[in-house]
């Protein structure tokens, strides 16, 4: 069997060119006589890999000099604890609840301080981004947390809340590198790599320098941002191979034309799918139009039986991982950076055919 169109929400597709390059370099990385997996993280070869990955990320995302970049482990979920442990000074933070990930982030933060849930879209199964009223924000909060793109429910912010001097902390696990993001508008950004940047096991944290140095006493060493910053993400062994793959993905993205170009392609892909969902008499999107994600597209038919039939037949035709999240049901197509336009076009053609026949 050849390669399939993989619509998984994460871990997800990687660009074929990246996998091919990794395969070519598997046995002997650039004349080193070994795989990147076998390298000391303190070697010159590896220093160039992690340094190169950071430089590319800085260049592509235009990360200002007063921000630090860390490559950590533990997934975005570890950040749910690291954020309050490192950023809570007075012990208060604002959270917007737009799905499971923000819910979990808020629950974790509550172990360390007071969480003010400024708004939630739980009333309608997180199918929209709540309108935010700045008068409900805590002006003394240490930070304001949002989940920029909601992987499970398929919503995303199209504008940022005006939080004044309170730094915005955003989970960008599922939209990093997919659209231009003005880093200077945030105190901190973080992302697990396995959606849009590389394999599982790498977590990227981008943090404004002035937010460092306030870590709670008793915080485990490995959960202290300052430690990782001071050691260039090498306090302990970093996820060496994962970071190498991230570097290849970043090189691929740069060659393709960078984030602006990627965004254009992503808009095109999303439009192909949403336009069809809007005209179809069988399938429909589950999210309010103005908050639709470019990355995760949940959709349903009116029948669970038909949903199951569709998922099964799609899989047989080479469109895999279209089953919706277990809490939502129906279908979800994740169309991250690595999904080619052609994959979405072919999926829509398949859906049209399915609609005609059922
Ligand atoms: C996948 C995901 C997470 C969880 O990431 P882990 O790396 O599994 O901890 C958190 N937030 C968002 C937005 C995600 O998409």
């Amino acid at each position: 069997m050849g390669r399939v169109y993989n619509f998984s929400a994460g871990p997800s597709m990687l660009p074929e060119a990246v996998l091919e390059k990794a395969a070519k370099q598997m046995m002997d990385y650039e004349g080193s006589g070994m795989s990147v997996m076998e390298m000391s993280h303190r070697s010159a070869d590896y220093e160039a890999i992690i340094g190169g990955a950071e430089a590319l990320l800085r260049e592509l995302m235009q990360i200002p000099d007063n921000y630090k970049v860390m490559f950590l482990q533990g997934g975005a979920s570890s950040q749910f604890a690291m954020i309050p442990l490192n950023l809570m000074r007075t012990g208060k933070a604002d959270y917007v609840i737009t799905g499971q990930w923000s819910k979990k982030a808020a629950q974790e933060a509550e172990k360390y301080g007071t969480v003010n849930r400024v708004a939630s879209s739980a009333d309608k199964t997180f199918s929209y981004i709540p309108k935010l009223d700045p008068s409900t924000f805590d002006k003394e909060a240490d930070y304001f947390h949002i989940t920029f793109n909601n992987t499970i429910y398929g919503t995303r912010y199209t504008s940022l809340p005006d939080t004044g001097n309170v730094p915005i902390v955003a989970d960008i696990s599922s939209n990093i590198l997919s659209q231009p993001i003005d880093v200077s508008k945030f105190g901190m950004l973080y992302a697990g790599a396995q959606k849009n940047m590389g394999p599982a096991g790498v977590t990227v944290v981008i943090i404004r320098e002035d937010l460092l140095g306030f870590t709670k006493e008793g915080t485990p060493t490995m959960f202290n941002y300052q430690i990782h910053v001071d050691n260039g993400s090498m306090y302990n062994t970093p996820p060496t191979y994962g970071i190498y793959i991230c570097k290849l993905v970043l090189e691929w993205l740069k060659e393709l034309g960078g984030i602006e170009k990627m965004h254009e392609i992503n808009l095109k892909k999303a439009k192909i799918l949403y336009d069809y969902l809007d005209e179809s008499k069988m399938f429909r999107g589950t999210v309010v139009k103005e908050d639709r994600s470019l990355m995760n597209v949940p959709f349903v038919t009116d029948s669970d039986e038909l949903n199951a039939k569709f998922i099964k037949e799609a899989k047989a035709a080479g469109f895999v991982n279209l089953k919706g999240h277990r809490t939502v049901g129906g279908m979800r197509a994740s169309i991250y950076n690595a999904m080619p336009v052609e994959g979405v076009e072919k999926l829509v053609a398949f859906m049209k055919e399915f609609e005609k026949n059922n």
Side-chain angles (χ1 to χ4, degrees):
M1 188 166 157
R3 285 180 59 78
V4 293
Y5 289 112
N6 180 4
F7 294 90
S8 169
S12 41
M13 273 186 89
L14 285 166
E16 261 181 37
V18 166
L19 297 176
E20 277 161 9
K21 182 150 190 196
K24 225 157 79 191
Q25 296 184 324
M26 179 60 76
M27 302 302 287
D28 177 8
Y29 176 78
E30 294 191 349
S32 65
M34 62 180 89
S35 164
V36 174
M37 268 184 254
E38 303 169 299
M39 255 173 213
S40 161
H41 57 297
R42 312 274 177 208
S43 65
D45 275 335
Y46 195 74
E47 293 265 6
I49 289 171
I50 193 169
E54 177 175 341
L56 276 163
L57 188 68
R58 283 185 174 280
E59 180 187 338
L60 287 164
M61 288 186 73
Q62 296 175 31
I63 300 173
D65 288 342
N66 63 324
Y67 284 74
K68 298 291 188 192
V69 173
M70 287 169 259
F71 294 102
L72 306 177
Q73 305 189 56
S77 300
S78 292
Q79 294 309 310
F80 299 166
M82 286 178 82
I83 291 160
L85 281 168
N86 286 274
L87 302 188
M88 274 186 174
R89 304 182 204 186
T90 65
K92 296 189 300 177
D94 283 355
Y95 278 74
V96 184
I97 310 301
T98 51
Q100 289 208 11
W101 297 120
S102 41
K103 220 157 90 181
K104 284 186 173 165
Q107 274 166 1
E108 193 71 6
E110 231 157 21
K111 295 183 180 171
Y112 308 103
T114 307
V115 165
N116 172 33
R117 289 173 174 78
V118 296
S120 166
S121 49
D123 60 334
K124 290 182 180 151
T125 338
F126 302 114
S127 58
Y128 68 103
I129 299 289
K131 296 279 171 288
L132 298 176
D133 171 8
S135 75
T136 62
F137 301 176
D138 181 350
K139 282 174 191 60
E140 258 105 64
D142 294 318
Y143 61 88
F144 188 103
H145 183 280
I146 62 168
T147 310
F148 203 138
N149 182 78
N150 294 280
T151 323
I152 295 174
Y153 300 95
T155 60
R156 67 152 179 167
Y157 286 79
T158 49
S159 64
L160 291 176
D162 180 4
T163 60
N165 289 326
V166 176
I168 300 177
V169 172
D171 181 349
I172 55 168
S173 291
S174 50
N175 66 334
I176 189 169
L177 307 173
S178 72
Q179 62 176 88
I181 291 176
D182 182 350
V183 176
S184 72
K185 296 232 161 31
F186 297 84
M188 186 185 135
L189 293 161
Y190 66 102
Q194 69 272 26
K195 317 284 165 64
N196 233 348
M197 197 169 40
V202 183
T203 311
V204 165
V205 173
I206 302 164
I207 189 168
R208 211 175 64 207
E209 273 168 357
D210 62 284
L211 298 175
L212 292 165
F214 300 96
T215 306
K216 262 186 213 305
E217 220 172 292
T219 297
T221 308
M222 281 295 289
F223 268 34
N224 185 332
Y225 290 141
Q226 189 76 56
I227 295 283
H228 293 290
V229 163
D230 290 346
N231 290 280
S233 300
M234 299 248 226
Y235 171 74
N236 71 324
T237 318
T240 51
Y241 195 76
I243 293 168
Y244 156 73
I245 298 291
C246 288
K247 177 169 178 272
L248 296 185
V249 170
L250 294 165
E251 283 168 354
W252 168 82
L253 184 54
K254 184 179 172 180
E255 201 158 299
L256 182 131
I259 291 177
E260 296 273 353
K261 179 71 190 169
M262 192 74 250
H263 185 219
E264 258 176 52
I265 297 169
N266 286 332
L267 285 168
K268 184 175 169 189
K269 286 187 296 189
K271 186 173 177 349
I272 293 168
L273 190 44
Y274 285 124
D275 279 355
Y276 170 61
L277 290 173
D278 289 344
E279 74 179 46
S280 167
K281 302 216 156 40
M282 176 180 280
F283 299 103
R284 63 184 162 79
T286 57
V287 162
V288 301
K289 282 189 186 174
E290 61 269 26
D291 298 329
R292 283 171 164 175
S293 166
L294 297 180
M295 297 284 100
N296 312 98
V297 183
F299 57 95
V300 293
T301 71
D302 287 328
S303 137
D304 286 344
E305 238 168 51
L306 207 52
N307 290 344
K309 184 167 190 250
F310 173 78
I311 292 160
K312 190 169 166 234
E313 290 184 12
K315 185 178 174 191
F319 306 100
V320 309
N321 288 319
L322 281 165
K323 196 169 168 21
H325 191 268
R326 59 188 188 281
T327 60
V328 187
M331 282 72 72
R332 171 178 52 171
S334 294
I335 49 176
Y336 295 118
N337 287 357
M339 175 60 67
V341 175
E342 178 201 80
V344 179
E345 285 170 345
K346 286 188 175 166
L347 173 66
V348 166
F350 177 81
M351 289 167 77
K352 283 182 178 164
E353 194 58 28
F354 185 87
E355 181 168 358
K356 213 164 66 190
N357 297 336
N358 287 274

